[in-house]
Amino acid sequence: MDRITEATSYIQEQDSSSGNICLCTESLCLSYGTRAALENVNLRIPSRAVTAIIGPSGSGKSSFLCCLNRMTDLCCSTTIEGSVRLGEHDIHRDLGKNPIALRRRVGMVFQHPNPFPFSIWKNLALPLKHHGVRNKQELSSVIEQALRRVGLWEEVGDRLRDSALTLSGGQQQRLCIARALVLEPEVLLMDEPCSSLDPLSTKCIETLIGQLKNSYTIVVVTHDLAQARRVADHVALFWNADGVGRLIEQGPAARVFQHPEHELTTSYLEGQL
Amino acid sequence: MTDRLLTWTLGAATLMVASLIAIIAAFLLNESLGMLNRVELGRFFTDSGWSPTMSRFNILPMIVASVLLMAGAVIVAAPLAIFTAVFLRFYAPSPVIDIGRRIIEVLAAMPSVVYGLWGLVVLVPIIAAWQQPGASLMAGILVLSLMIFPTITIVVHSGLAAMPRHYIEASQALAMSRAYMVRQVVLPAVRASIAAGITLGAARAIGETMAVMMVTGNIVAVPGDLFDPVRALTSNIALEMAYALGDHRGALYISSLLLLSIVILLVLINEFIVSNKLEH
């Protein structure tokens, strides 16, 4: 355990100098009921870059992601200690009881594509209408823009009234990304966005991530080390130590992949664990 | 081998139930046809009144009464039932959910004669104090809405419970308020359950006999307003079948056939609503 703490503090020193930090967590602990899921996570997520969260199953990667937009609120038995800071704000204390304002700034894409069982148009129009865009022309132009950004306009632009459920898995996932982007969030959280997609769709989404990072801060959880190597600018490795998820190493992707500081990282990257 | 056996057993059971419905429909048709050969169909709507022993067969007032009772009960009960189901699924604290569901299950299973008794002893006098005679279309609508409310609630609630959780997660992640999510995502997503609940409720309302007979006054006339007494098609059959003979009996069979047709029509409308994409 000492090694873990040592590595964490070393990394903090090393990374504090790099770029603008968009999101950071301090001593973040999460538990479901009495079961601890995350302990003492201090992660710094740089702006306008892709941070990949890697690690084995059960290391708390997805739970961590859910802390960042307070999706953890959906389970009533969760307790969170420590803090998550988005820019100047502590998302639990400063943004109050209602997480709506936070979720406008921090969008999320899930492991399985989850379009609503409505038309493509309505999927994108619903969040826009809720946040005040009522003018039909404005809706049309924002929706077209969102679909173009994820490369769907050429494929579905002429059938926006069709049910979103008629799209292929990869198209559905890109629609979900477009839907998350129509609210112009600052951060996009992606929880294993390609794990249920075929290689072609995966490549498409990865290319998209590469384009989006110029405008958004992206945090992507992935099981796939090769994917992390392809898309990530920064990497954080989570580990399950004694049943609790911990962050054991973080840093620029090139550094972590080539010169890991922690023994566990070395073994994990070499596929020995 | 076991699979084939199972297929045959299940098939036989299905066939038996399906043919039962066909047998009942055929029986009603057969009984009605004799009457229809003697009496022109139009007379059931144009005769000067309902005096079957004197060969006057106008059942129109009773059709109107039955349809009004059904429509009124659905209009009163459906919104309440949908609100209740949404409340129990999304707003109620967990102890309330359990108690609420138990109560609704008991309400759904309560014998209709109990509803009728309550309506007769409690509701009719209250309405009578307001406007005479008390036993009326209004009393029928209120008792029926009480009866179909739990039916609709249970069907809609199970639709809400079966709705994929990821619709809720997606709505929350898109910064939707709970009210907006319920209105724009949840209710449209379960519209098939809502349609099914309303269809079942409406079918129960139009088919209900005992409770309706106890509170509506059973006078054969097209009601002028909500406080007039009416006689439903079902009540008419139950009241007169015991002594009806010849053409009188035939007219009651025709009434039954009509009720069956209305229920089939309701199911078809439901099918149409569910299969038709109600996108704007």
Side-chain angles (χ1 to χ4, degrees):
Chain A
M1 207 49 56
D2 284 344
R3 287 177 315 185
I4 293 174
T5 337
E6 219 171 89
T8 318
S9 54
Y10 172 79
I11 291 154
Q12 270 172 11
E13 283 164 30
Q14 198 185 35
D15 283 355
S16 54
S17 55
S18 68
N20 278 337
I21 299 302
C22 174
L23 261 172
C24 77
T25 67
E26 280 157 22
S27 317
L28 182 71
C29 303
L30 167 74
S31 45
Y32 297 110
T34 53
R35 194 176 65 81
L38 286 173
E39 203 167 85
N40 196 28
V41 177
N42 296 291
L43 178 60
R44 308 162 73 77
I45 295 165
S47 314
R48 308 220 165 171
V50 179
T51 302
I53 297 179
I54 58 174
S57 301
S59 56
K61 306 185 297 293
S62 297
S63 296
F64 175 75
L65 207 64
C66 287
C67 292
L68 301 181
N69 68 342
R70 287 178 57 183
M71 286 301 276
T72 42
D73 292 12
L74 288 187
C75 300
C76 42
S77 60
T78 50
T79 38
I80 288 179
E81 285 164 43
S83 70
V84 179
R85 303 191 74 81
L86 172 64
E88 293 302 302
H89 300 290
D90 180 315
I91 67 166
H92 292 98
R93 282 170 202 87
D94 301 345
L95 294 176
K97 273 187 116 175
N98 198 337
I100 288 178
L102 168 71
R103 292 183 186 143
R104 275 212 64 169
R105 296 173 62 188
V106 183
M108 191 170 203
V109 173
F110 295 81
Q111 184 173 4
H112 296 284
N114 56 359
F116 298 124
F118 310 135
S119 68
I120 298 168
W121 165 276
K122 197 173 173 190
N123 263 278
L124 296 166
L126 273 180
L128 285 169
K129 283 182 179 167
H130 186 225
H131 295 285
V133 185
R134 306 241 161 228
N135 179 310
K136 190 120 197 244
Q137 271 186 328
E138 198 183 342
L139 275 175
S140 297
S141 82
V142 177
I143 286 172
E144 181 180 338
Q145 218 181 327
L147 287 173
R148 281 192 190 283
R149 195 155 41 181
V150 298
L152 264 180
W153 182 257
E154 291 73 22
E155 295 164 44
V156 304
D158 55 345
R159 51 186 178 110
L160 297 181
R161 300 287 167 187
D162 285 10
S163 167
L165 303 180
T166 60
L167 301 177
S168 73
Q171 287 175 324
Q172 287 189 12
Q173 192 64 306
R174 279 185 286 152
L175 177 66
C176 291
I177 296 174
R179 190 177 63 181
L181 295 182
V182 288
L183 295 177
E184 290 297 340
E186 297 156 41
V187 183
L188 188 60
L189 308 176
M190 306 177 99
D191 187 1
E192 299 182 38
C194 304
S195 65
S196 61
L197 304 182
D198 65 74
L200 280 179
S201 305
T202 301
K203 184 153 187 277
C204 189
I205 303 269
E206 286 178 6
T207 314
L208 184 60
I209 292 174
Q211 293 160 1
L212 292 174
K213 75 176 178 186
N214 298 318
S215 329
Y216 305 93
T217 301
I218 296 176
V219 187
V220 53
V221 166
T222 178
H223 269 306
D224 183 353
L225 282 176
Q227 179 173 63
R229 284 178 203 270
R230 288 192 295 267
V231 302
D233 302 306
H234 295 263
V235 174
L237 177 69
F238 277 62
W239 202 261
N240 182 336
D242 307 326
V244 185
R246 290 167 193 275
L247 170 65
I248 60 165
E249 178 152 7
Q250 63 178 317
R255 206 271 297 145
V256 174
F257 283 125
Q258 279 155 27
H259 309 288
E261 305 285 349
H262 200 285
E263 290 166 36
L264 284 171
T265 318
T266 317
S267 322
Y268 185 63
L269 293 178
E270 284 170 0
Q272 289 172 355
L273 282 170
Chain B
M1 188 59 215
T2 27
D3 186 55
R4 267 181 74 182
L5 190 70
L6 193 66
T7 311
W8 279 100
T9 319
L10 297 176
T14 314
L15 189 70
M16 201 173 79
V17 176
S19 51
L20 220 72
I21 295 166
I23 288 168
I24 292 173
F27 159 79
L28 286 177
L29 258 176
N30 184 40
E31 295 288 336
S32 311
L33 276 178
M35 171 83 177
L36 283 173
N37 281 336
R38 288 189 299 280
V39 180
E40 200 191 321
L41 185 65
R43 283 189 52 202
F44 290 97
F45 306 99
T46 53
D47 272 4
S48 57
W50 171 256
S51 315
T53 45
M54 293 154 75
S55 209
R56 281 158 43 195
F57 298 112
N58 192 345
I59 57 170
L60 192 62
M62 292 175 282
I63 298 174
V64 171
S66 277
V67 171
L68 285 177
L69 282 165
M70 173 184 76
V74 167
I75 288 168
V76 174
L80 284 176
I82 294 168
F83 288 162
T84 307
V86 168
F87 174 75
L88 288 178
R89 175 67 183 80
F90 291 105
Y91 290 84
S94 50
V96 176
I97 298 176
D98 290 339
I99 298 169
R101 283 180 50 183
R102 293 285 169 282
I103 292 175
I104 287 161
E105 279 162 15
V106 170
L107 284 178
M110 207 147 85
S112 62
V113 69
V114 178
Y115 282 103
L117 190 66
W118 176 82
L120 185 66
V121 179
V122 179
L123 192 62
V124 169
I126 292 174
I127 295 175
W130 184 12
Q131 199 148 342
Q132 288 288 348
S136 57
L137 179 59
M138 175 72 124
I141 286 175
L142 291 179
V143 168
L144 280 177
S145 46
L146 209 62
M147 291 180 63
I148 68 173
F149 160 80
T151 312
I152 305 178
T153 308
I154 286 175
V155 176
V156 175
H157 187 270
S158 46
L160 292 173
M163 189 188 75
R165 191 180 152 73
H166 66 71
Y167 296 161
I168 298 170
E169 288 169 348
S171 313
Q172 294 292 308
L174 287 166
M176 290 184 192
S177 64
R178 189 161 54 171
Y180 189 80
M181 173 183 83
V182 166
R183 215 168 53 238
Q184 297 292 341
V185 177
V186 171
L187 290 180
V190 299
R191 62 170 188 267
S193 300
I194 294 175
I198 290 176
T199 306
L200 271 180
R204 192 174 180 204
I206 200 148
E208 176 51 36
T209 309
M210 183 49 79
V212 169
M213 205 159 75
M214 290 165 84
V215 299
T216 54
N218 300 315
I219 290 173
V220 185
V222 174
D225 63 37
L226 281 170
F227 299 98
D228 283 348
V230 291
R231 181 186 290 195
L233 272 176
T234 47
S235 313
N236 189 46
I237 298 166
L239 286 165
E240 300 189 359
M241 201 44 136
Y243 62 88
L245 296 167
D247 282 353
H248 184 188
R249 205 175 174 85
L252 296 182
Y253 281 126
I254 288 172
S255 306
S256 304
L257 197 63
L258 196 65
L259 280 168
L260 188 65
S261 320
I262 294 175
V263 171
I264 290 172
L265 188 70
L266 283 173
V267 173
L268 290 178
I269 292 173
N270 176 41
E271 280 297 307
F272 176 76
I273 292 173
V274 173
S275 64
N276 196 12
K277 298 261 177 277
L278 287 178
E279 297 275 291
H280 54 274

